[in-house]
Amino acid sequence: RMAFFGRILSSMDPKDLKQLQLVKMKQKVGVMDRVDKQEPSLIICKDMFKADSDIQSFIGLKILHESSGAEGVLEGSFGQDGRIKVRFK
């Protein structure tokens, strides 16, 4: 079953679903490891990616700190064990 909400932009035949693109919302959860000594706005996070993961496709995506609501941007990997650099504003 599929449920939709929002404004109807165009009608379509229910038997022809090829033009319909489905998107699944996904999330990754990590833990803040430490704050960078030279730049306090740069945070090192761990447990979001495995060591062998390709982080290149995630660079530039938004990171949300749940308890404070602060938004950051994933800047790249840090080290060899799957840690990442996140810059908060």
Side-chain angles (χ1 to χ4, degrees):
R1 292 186 189 187
M2 290 187 282
F4 300 98
F5 66 93
R7 292 184 336 182
I8 297 174
L9 300 176
S10 65
S11 62
M12 59 185 295
D13 184 19
K15 295 176 183 171
D16 184 30
L17 296 177
K18 292 180 182 176
Q19 59 184 342
L20 183 65
Q21 295 179 356
L22 297 177
V23 177
K24 293 181 182 180
M25 299 298 290
K26 295 182 180 183
Q27 71 177 7
K28 288 188 162 286
V29 177
V31 178
M32 187 174 79
D33 190 25
R34 64 183 170 90
V35 178
D36 190 45
K37 294 176 185 174
Q38 284 89 23
E39 297 182 61
S41 64
L42 190 65
I43 308 294
I44 308 301
C45 298
K46 63 179 181 178
D47 298 337
M48 191 176 286
F49 297 98
K50 294 180 182 178
D52 59 346
S53 297
D54 183 23
I55 299 175
Q56 294 299 319
S57 59
F58 296 95
I59 291 178
L61 292 181
K62 181 175 68 170
I63 305 287
L64 180 67
H65 187 261
E66 283 186 329
S67 62
S68 69
E71 290 184 5
V73 176
L74 195 147
E75 287 193 344
S77 61
F78 183 83
Q80 301 292 323
D81 55 353
R83 291 183 290 173
I84 57 170
K85 297 185 288 188
V86 179
R87 183 166 310 275
F88 285 92
K89 299 175 183 174

